[in-house]
Amino acid sequence: GKIRIVPNPYNISSDLSLGFGSDLSNRLAFFNIPARCNIKIYSELGELITTVEHTNGTGDDYWDSTTSSRQIVVSGIYIAVFENLDTGEKKIQKFVIIR
């Protein structure tokens, strides 16, 4: 299936109204991903923000919208590259964060 990033666009002011709650703020979901993959998040300038290592065998994972140095990312367009660890296949998705 097609990989989905939810919510997209992510608007921080919508967190509570969507039922994400304060303990899940800044969290985006990735659905329909390979059971074993790396998700590399890049800025629109091509800078690597972080890598999410997904190896638990499920089809979904989450990202708390922080960099690898634990800083919250700013508003902008981001690119997620999903690399299947079993086949090497890559898929690319764009998403937007509004703060």
Side-chain angles (χ1 to χ4, degrees), residues 39-58:
I39 306 165
K40 292 189 177 191
I41 311 290
Y42 294 91
S43 71
E44 62 186 315
L45 298 176
E47 300 165 320
L48 180 62
I49 302 295
T50 195
T51 300
V52 177
E53 295 177 358
H54 174 74
T55 57
N56 67 9
T58 65

Side-chain angles (χ1 to χ4, degrees), residues 5 8 28 30 41 63 76-80 93-97:
I5 300 173
N8 188 16
L28 287 98
F30 304 109
I41 311 290
W63 176 52
I77 298 170
Y78 292 87
I79 298 138
Q93 294 279 333
K94 293 181 186 176
F95 62 97
V96 176
I97 294 179

